[in-house]
Structures are given as C-alpha cells and as structure tokens.
Amino acid sequence: PSARPAAEPVPPRRATPAPAPTPAPAPPLPKLVWTDKLPQEGDLQELDAARLIGWAVATGYSGGIWMYAASLSQPVVGPVVGFDGRPDSSPHRQLYFEQGALIGAYSTLRGDALVEVLASRWSRPQAQRARETLEGAPRAQREQVSRLVRARLLDPREAGPLLQEWVTEIMRRAARVGPGRYRLIQRTLAPTDRVPPSQPARRLLVEGLRQSADLLYLHQRVGEEGTVLLPIAAGLAQEGGPVLLGVGLSPAEETGLRAFDGRLSLAEVMARARLGEHAAYVLAYALLCLGALAIPGALPPHVEAQVTARLRARALQGEIEAAVARVQEKFRQVEAADYFTLLEVPPGASADEIRRAYERLRAKFLPQAQPHRCRVAMERELRQIALVLDEAAVVLGDDRLRAAYRAALG
C-alpha cells in the first residue's frame, strides 16, 4: 500500500492578548456657576484661584485669600499666617483686597521670595550677596527692600516700583492653575504694608490664565466652540465684555470682549476679533470668573429666563434702531439723490433691472415690513419713500422718459 503523505505540522496557537482596559473618562466638571458668596474654606480644584480672584474683584471683597498648594485630599492645617510673624504651617500665598482692588500680596513659597523674583536684576555674585543680606530678615517686604538699599544693592528711588513689581508677579502666579486649598481671611493690611500693583487685578487675572491654563482646562470649564455664553449682571453693573475693557489688553482682545453679547458663539467671537482659540478662551473664562458671563444651563431656570428675556429685548431694540437707520438713509436719498441712486442701479441699467430693483426696494420699505415702533415713528418718511420710488419706476421704466431724464442729469 502507498504511504499516506505526512500531515503538515500545525503551528501552536498564540494566546490572544487581552485588550488593554479602556481608561475611564474623567468625570465632567460641574458647570461654572458664579456666586456672590463663597465657603470660608475649600478645594482649589473645584473653585480655582482664577475664580477666587474674579469673585473678590466682582463683589468688592475686603479681606485676604490664603492659598495653599496642597494635594487634593490634604486638608489645610496649622494657623493662617501672614504679616503677623506667626510660624508657617506650609508654603502658601496670600492676596489682600479692599473693595475689590488688590492692595498687597504675601508668599512663603521659596521661588516667590523677593530676592528670587528680583534676582534677574543682579549678577550672580550680587544675587548671592542679596540672599545673604536677607538671611534671617523679617518677612515684611518693605523691611527687606530697606536692607537691600542699605547694602547698596538697590537704588532708593527704585524701592517703590520694585515692591509693585513683586506684588504684580505674585498676583500673576497666584492666578495660575494648580491643586490646593484656600481660606478667606477676615483681616486687612496695615497702611505701611499696602503695596497696590502697577496693573489692575482684572488684567493680572487674564495674564495668569494666559501663562498657565491650557486649552483642555479651558474647554472643560467654558464649553465647546459652539457655546453661546450669556451676559449677566450678577457681580458687576456692566455686562459682558466691558468689565475687562480699558485694562491694557490688545485691540483684537478688546474687539473680542465686545463680541460676548449673548448672540455669538465662541467660534464666531474668534472669527470676528481674529483671535486665536486660546486667547479667546482665556477672555471667556476670565469673564466667567468675574461674573460677567454665564454658561447656558448653569443658572437657575428662573434666572436664565430673565437673562434670555433681556437679551431678546436688547436684540429687538437693536433691530428697531437698525430699521430706523435704514429708513433715514433712504429718506436722505429721496430728498437729495437722483432716481438711479434711489433705485440703487447704474445709469445704463436695463428696464428689467430697474423693475427688479423697484420691486425689491418697494417691498423692503413697506410699512408692514418694519418693526412696529419704527413704523409708527417713521410713518411720514415711509410714505414719502414709497411715493418717490413709484415715480422713479415710472420714469426709468419707460425708454423715452429714461433717456430724457438721463440727458437732464447731464
């Protein structure tokens, strides 16, 4: 018998690797709701430093904000310390406000020390000498500046501006994103310890967000590009963008501020102001922190209904003003312009072009095509516009009359 062909060896089965577990999506952050009251102590992940600063400015807060760079689960322990000289519990920053204006800052973080912030002004040997000069010095910044002046490391005329520079930098750093805890301190600074920064706190809030808040962070708190933010008056008398106008932002940023009117989405704000995505989101989040804007759906239903009704009324008022301006402009043409200009056609237009232009304008300036208040206020002008449009159509619609009219115009 013939031998059977040998069976081909069967390759061993490879174990199928188990699929890698899909990481669970991060839980969505609660929608940002601006409030005029805050807990005395809280977590900087839920209520970040930018919102704390915006709240202090918007409410006219007088007192201190103590911020401690702790882990999310680590509580604040030990006494709240500051210019009173008590021992530190942990490295932290403090900001002091009076009626919403920043009047001073304080920090026990190593990198925030006065000599470290100003070290770029000196050579390396001078910076080392400055550190030695301030070793064991009181924490009051004015006393530290006095020691540097006596050591001839600073010009006495620079003392005031340098303190302002230091407070400004601490404020920028305090506005940055980061985990930790906060406390509100019901105390103020003595007049000798007050050092207002050279720029308003609102601008420093924007600068702090520029430096530290990435797009993912901002998208989580503001929303996608199609979001239309609602202007509210919860914290300030002004609404929308004007709360940040006049603080030294760029012309493009100021154009963007005015575009937060409750009708344009974030993408439309970017396009109108020609702003990059990050710059537009920084402005939007700063305005949310200041209580000038709100995210749709975050407000209580009755409050959002009031805001929406106010926006509708404002939009209607804008439509009325635009309609009145259109009627007034056309009426000026009735009084001063020729029939060709009135019908918005060139002198060489054909009879069909003239007819189409007449029908379009006649419909556009019908009384019933105007908002009611415009129709009532501009009744005489609308009648006169209709009369002269009819005359223009008769004259220019006839070849013989049109030629004679064109000759008369020269």
Side-chain angles (χ1 to χ4, degrees):
S2 60
R4 293 182 181 178
E8 294 181 4
V10 178
R13 296 181 61 186
R14 293 182 180 178
T16 305
T22 304
L29 292 168
K31 287 189 175 180
L32 174 62
V33 181
W34 195 86
T35 177
D36 59 355
K37 293 183 180 179
L38 296 181
Q40 286 295 114
E41 181 177 334
D43 196 320
L44 286 175
Q45 181 70 6
E46 298 173 1
L47 187 70
D48 62 25
R51 289 180 63 189
L52 283 170
I53 294 167
W55 168 84
V57 173
T59 59
Y61 173 65
S62 294
I65 301 176
W66 185 89
M67 286 179 280
Y68 167 57
S71 64
L72 297 182
S73 60
Q74 185 177 359
V76 176
V77 294
V80 173
V81 297
F83 293 92
D84 50 11
R86 286 190 287 172
D88 286 339
S89 58
S90 295
H92 62 273
R93 295 186 178 107
Q94 295 178 43
L95 302 176
Y96 287 90
F97 295 85
E98 188 170 89
Q99 297 181 355
L102 186 67
I103 60 170
Y106 177 72
S107 176
T108 62
L109 274 68
R110 178 181 294 274
D112 288 353
L114 180 70
V115 69
E116 301 302 332
V117 173
L118 302 181
S120 61
R121 302 177 59 88
W122 298 303
S123 65
R124 186 174 297 179
Q126 286 176 320
Q128 181 58 35
R129 186 172 153 224
R131 293 185 184 96
E132 294 169 356
T133 300
L134 296 183
E135 188 173 350
R139 291 183 183 140
Q141 279 70 45
R142 291 188 186 277
E143 175 58 29
Q144 293 188 14
V145 168
S146 296
R147 289 197 177 198
L148 294 173
V149 169
R150 290 196 295 271
R152 297 188 177 181
L153 289 165
L154 286 179
D155 188 318
R157 293 169 295 183
E158 295 180 326
L162 285 177
L163 279 175
Q164 284 189 320
E165 180 183 332
W166 183 80
V167 170
T168 299
E169 180 59 24
I170 297 304
M171 170 64 178
R172 284 197 194 98
R173 295 182 184 188
R176 293 176 183 173
V177 174
R181 304 282 298 176
Y182 79 87
R183 275 184 187 168
L184 301 182
I185 310 170
Q186 301 304 318
R187 56 163 295 194
T188 187
L189 295 180
T192 54
D193 292 324
R194 298 185 182 195
V195 184
S198 56
Q199 297 170 344
R202 292 173 292 166
R203 176 172 177 178
L204 298 179
L205 169 62
V206 173
E207 291 182 359
L209 288 171
R210 276 190 198 135
Q211 294 171 4
S212 65
D214 60 26
L215 265 176
L216 175 61
Y217 183 90
L218 295 168
H219 271 273
Q220 288 177 325
R221 283 152 178 78
V222 178
E224 297 306 316
E225 291 184 13
T227 304
V228 178
L229 299 170
L230 302 176
I232 58 174
L236 297 164
Q238 300 160 299
E239 296 181 19
V243 298
L244 282 175
L245 287 175
V247 297
L249 302 180
S250 70
E253 287 172 322
E254 296 213 351
T255 300
L257 294 175
R258 294 186 181 92
F260 287 108
D261 59 0
R263 291 176 291 181
L264 300 181
S265 67
L266 282 161
E268 291 168 328
V269 170
M270 289 180 232
R272 175 172 291 190
R274 298 183 180 180
L275 276 176
E277 186 177 4
H278 187 264
Y281 267 82
V282 164
L283 292 181
Y285 191 48
L287 293 170
L288 286 165
C289 293
L290 287 163
L293 296 178
I295 297 172
L299 296 171
H302 70 283
V303 176
E304 186 154 334
Q306 293 172 357
V307 172
T308 304
R310 187 171 69 250
L311 290 174
R312 280 199 300 266
R314 187 183 299 169
L316 178 60
Q317 180 62 32
E319 291 174 8
I320 292 169
E321 292 172 358
V324 168
R326 283 195 304 270
V327 173
Q328 289 174 336
E329 176 61 26
K330 185 55 68 176
F331 185 70
R332 281 193 287 270
Q333 292 179 2
V334 164
E335 292 184 315
D338 60 81
Y339 288 158
F340 292 106
T341 302
L342 183 66
L343 290 179
E344 301 174 11
V345 295
S350 66
D352 282 344
E353 290 173 332
I354 290 167
R355 176 181 54 78
R356 287 195 297 269
Y358 164 74
E359 291 173 352
R360 177 179 59 82
L361 291 170
R362 195 69 169 81
K364 182 178 180 179
F365 289 98
L366 280 173
Q368 55 267 36
Q370 316 306 319
H372 174 72
R373 287 172 58 185
C374 174
R375 183 164 66 244
V376 171
M378 309 296 290
E379 181 181 5
R380 181 182 69 86
E381 287 85 351
L382 287 168
R383 281 203 311 268
Q384 190 68 17
I385 289 169
L387 177 64
V388 180
L389 283 174
D390 290 346
E391 290 176 0
V394 169
V395 171
L396 300 186
D398 182 279
D399 293 341
R400 183 177 57 83
L401 294 177
R402 183 169 68 254
Y405 182 74
R406 191 185 295 118
L409 289 177

